[in-house]
Amino acid sequence: MSLRGRYVIDRIKSAVSHRFSLPCPPYGMPSYWEGVYKKLGPSDVYEWGSISLQDVMKHRYDAALYAREVQKFGYNQQARSTIVDGGVEMDTGGQSKERQYIETTFGECIGVHPEDHSGRKILLLGCGNSKFGEDMLTSGGWTGPIIQADVSQRVVTTMTERCGAYIADGTMEIVQDDATSLTAFEDDSIDAAVDKGMMDALFCANRPDQLMEIMKNVNRVLVPGGIYSVFSFSRPEYMLEQVLDKGNVGTRSSTDVGDTMVKKKRRRSDNVNKKLWEDVQ
């Protein structure tokens, strides 16, 4: 799947969804994932979107394009990252204009930097057999704990075998849990949550009910101010309608933290409604 390919599919879905649904594997069923991982072992690795940690450790994006997109949803852009010169391009009227990019890091994106050794917990939802969590420890600079969770007991078993050394030294945990309930996690127990493709798959499978349950429970387990970072091929204008509870969104703002969609939990003192989110990208 390419970004352009997903954009075409999302436009088609948007046009015909009131009449019928496009065919898609049953990504919302745990049994489907048990079947996927049934024949795979500890040495097997699949990276959603072929994206590795090194691809996102440092990255940049078009500041003007980003600003236009978030303003469609009533969000204000708050520049926090470094703005760099992107050269000169021609606009539709043939006039030259400067193009600027935002430079940021994955550490800023999730709100937990590699040099932070205070033991803040990072949850990787729908981890599958990706090496993203292992790479955070071996080459990214994070010291854990990294908590990897997946609904498939089979992949949890194989990941536990593969990551035994990290589990033994206390830098990693592997947990079997359903992201729509997160029963293994207490309230306010996670500092940052990362989702590399899980919500993207459920969005493709037309499961807005599960998307909202994930949002609700991630909000519950995150500490006040914690960030939920979501990787998706879909543009914000297509996914946000399904993951934002519009009836519970008040004053909104957006922070420049990269190419992923980011949601930041409001502090309890900001509003008594625990469903509110402060930042969306």
Side-chain angles (χ1 to χ4, degrees), residues 10-266:
D10 283 343
R11 290 190 66 180
I12 294 173
K13 285 176 60 178
S14 179
V16 304
S17 60
H18 64 289
R19 296 182 179 178
F20 59 87
S21 298
L22 298 181
C24 181
Y27 293 139
M29 298 178 61
S31 59
Y32 171 81
W33 296 107
E34 283 297 321
V36 168
Y37 295 114
K38 184 177 181 180
K39 297 181 179 180
L40 302 179
S43 61
D44 292 299
V45 177
Y46 172 74
E47 296 293 351
W48 172 91
S50 299
I51 297 173
S52 69
L53 177 65
Q54 293 306 313
D55 293 326
V56 297
M57 279 295 287
K58 292 183 180 181
H59 51 283
R60 67 180 189 172
Y61 59 96
D62 188 320
L65 176 61
Y66 166 69
R68 289 197 301 270
E69 289 299 317
V70 298
Q71 286 169 4
K72 293 178 183 178
F73 295 90
Y75 290 80
N76 298 316
Q77 188 178 25
Q78 297 177 348
R80 289 193 317 187
S81 306
T82 303
I83 297 179
V84 296
D85 182 19
V88 177
E89 63 176 6
M90 304 299 289
D91 62 19
T92 55
Q95 301 296 316
S96 63
K97 64 176 182 178
E98 292 185 0
R99 187 172 187 176
Q100 292 183 322
Y101 290 98
I102 298 293
E103 281 192 347
T104 188
T105 66
F106 185 62
E108 183 177 8
C109 186
I110 65 174
V112 180
H113 294 269
E115 56 270 20
D116 183 348
H117 298 163
S118 61
R120 300 176 70 192
K121 295 181 179 180
I122 301 173
L123 172 63
L124 303 187
L125 285 169
C127 64
N129 56 17
S130 166
K131 296 196 71 174
F132 200 86
E134 296 156 77
D135 290 342
M136 290 181 71
L137 295 173
T138 58
S139 60
W142 282 270
T143 56
I146 304 292
I147 305 173
Q148 305 210 70
D150 201 280
V151 71
S152 167
Q153 182 59 59
R154 169 60 182 172
V155 81
V156 166
T157 299
T158 58
M159 287 289 283
T160 298
E161 181 179 344
R162 191 173 85 194
C163 301
Y166 306 114
I167 297 172
D169 66 18
T171 57
M172 182 180 289
E173 298 177 36
I174 310 291
V175 179
Q176 193 276 328
D177 202 355
D178 190 327
T180 62
S181 58
L182 294 179
T183 56
F185 301 91
E186 297 181 353
D187 295 3
D188 303 331
S189 60
I190 299 297
D191 294 282
V194 180
D195 167 11
K196 193 161 76 77
M198 179 188 66
M199 288 186 62
D200 187 75
L202 294 175
F203 175 71
C204 291
N206 300 308
R207 293 303 305 265
D209 56 325
Q210 292 185 325
L211 293 174
M212 288 304 303
E213 286 301 309
I214 292 170
M215 295 296 296
K216 181 175 71 175
N217 281 285
V218 170
N219 185 38
R220 174 181 62 80
V221 304
L222 280 176
V223 300
I227 289 177
Y228 181 25
S229 176
V230 179
F231 290 72
S232 175
F233 277 113
S234 288
R235 294 188 180 187
E237 62 262 35
Y238 295 105
M239 182 176 279
L240 287 184
E241 288 186 353
Q242 292 194 19
V243 300
L244 282 179
D245 184 349
K246 293 182 179 180
N248 289 316
V249 176
T251 302
R252 302 177 288 184
S253 61
S254 179
T255 53
D256 298 335
V257 288
D259 296 330
T260 54
M261 178 175 66
V262 175
K263 296 186 176 296
K264 183 176 180 182
K265 184 178 182 179
R266 280 191 184 273

